[in-house]
Amino acid sequence: MSEQTVNEQDLIRYIAEETEIDVQSIERVLKHEQKYMDSAKTNAKGEVEIDSDELVDYIISRPDVKLDELKVESILDAEMDYYMDKGLAGYID
């Protein structure tokens, strides 16, 4: 992802509009996602490979997350859509 700054409130508002999930739940999911990403190991190229299923499992296993798997996935998908719309991320084939 680029070094550009992301307006977190804009991101959360976008996700809330796309998913119709409450802001507090979105913030909680994003907080746990960041914690998971921060603890991920880098490979020989200095890249972090994240398995989306493992990420979702990690998030829904947190005691303060009361969302089901589909809602967590929809938040993460909307987050990726936001980054792609802003030209900050894309998928690698």
Side-chain angles (χ1 to χ4, degrees):
M1 190 162 77
S2 169
E3 292 300 317
Q4 294 175 326
T5 12
V6 172
N7 181 326
E8 188 174 342
Q9 292 306 314
D10 187 43
L11 169 64
I12 292 169
R13 185 174 30 260
Y14 177 90
I15 294 170
E17 289 172 5
E18 293 294 312
T19 64
E20 298 181 358
I21 296 172
D22 67 278
V23 169
Q24 290 176 330
S25 293
I26 293 167
E27 289 172 339
R28 215 171 283 126
V29 167
L30 295 178
K31 174 186 76 166
H32 289 302
E33 176 193 27
Q34 188 61 54
K35 189 172 186 177
Y36 182 88
M37 302 285 266
D38 289 345
S39 67
K41 305 289 184 226
T42 57
N43 64 19
K45 296 179 184 177
E47 301 167 336
V48 176
E49 293 183 25
I50 302 295
D51 181 298
S52 60
D53 291 333
E54 289 177 11
L55 173 59
V56 171
D57 289 344
Y58 172 81
I59 293 169
I60 62 176
S61 73
R62 304 297 89 195
D64 62 337
V65 175
K66 306 297 183 208
L67 300 173
D68 62 33
E69 184 175 342
L70 290 176
K71 288 182 180 172
V72 170
E73 286 176 351
S74 68
I75 290 170
L76 298 176
D77 288 345
E79 178 189 25
M80 187 60 157
D81 290 345
Y82 174 86
Y83 289 136
M84 289 175 63
D85 288 350
K86 299 290 184 185
L88 300 173
Y91 289 104
I92 299 173
D93 292 330

